Amino acid sequence: MEPNVPNRDRYHRRWTEAACWASLARLIEELGDPPTAQQYDVLASANEDLPSLATVRNRLGPWSDVIARLVVGTDVGAILERIGIDPDMPRDVRNERIWLAHLEGEIEDEELIQLLRAGAFAWHASYGPRPDGMESSGTESVY
């Protein structure tokens, strides 16, 4: 017996890189703010017009980088890499390490704002008042 060979000639990938970008841009425009990866996962599982979170990560890269490119136009991954932070580490650990890097002068206020807007960093009440320009964007954390 010989196994059937799948006919890949007629296969059409629905979620190309361009289709993922377009879908995410529409969603963010509709929502007004970018969702977290967990929020997006829930939204995508209930909506066939959105690629799955896994597909987005496979086609476009880490969630924080994707959101940064869509919202801020900045490669947040480069900021995180420069200070030695893995974007996929637990959020509370990543937040603490980003905040400590900011206190040490490794991250300027502008970069901290970019990380906040991209969803790669959440402000914690224990950090005190926000620096100028760091308006609340719904990503405030009070854990």
Side-chain angles (χ1 to χ4, degrees), residues 27-120:
L27 177 67
I28 290 172
E29 185 176 322
E30 182 181 313
L31 296 175
D33 284 318
T36 65
Q38 292 79 13
Q39 290 168 333
Y40 180 80
D41 196 25
V42 171
L43 289 169
S45 67
N47 187 341
E48 290 184 11
D49 293 333
L50 295 172
S52 69
L53 179 60
T55 297
V56 170
R57 285 180 170 154
N58 286 332
R59 303 280 188 281
L60 308 179
W63 184 253
S64 59
D65 290 353
V66 170
I67 295 303
R69 287 182 60 192
L70 283 168
V71 176
V72 184
T74 302
D75 184 7
V76 169
I79 297 170
L80 297 177
E81 184 177 319
R82 188 184 78 231
I83 58 174
I85 295 176
D86 179 0
D88 293 324
M89 71 176 38
R91 185 175 183 86
D92 58 335
V93 174
R94 184 179 67 226
N95 281 341
E96 182 178 343
R97 293 192 52 199
I98 289 171
W99 180 244
L100 291 174
H102 180 261
L103 292 176
E104 293 290 324
E106 297 174 38
I107 298 176
E108 300 294 326
D109 283 354
E110 181 179 310
E111 292 174 315
L112 196 64
I113 292 167
Q114 291 172 348
L115 293 170
L116 179 73
R117 288 184 181 155

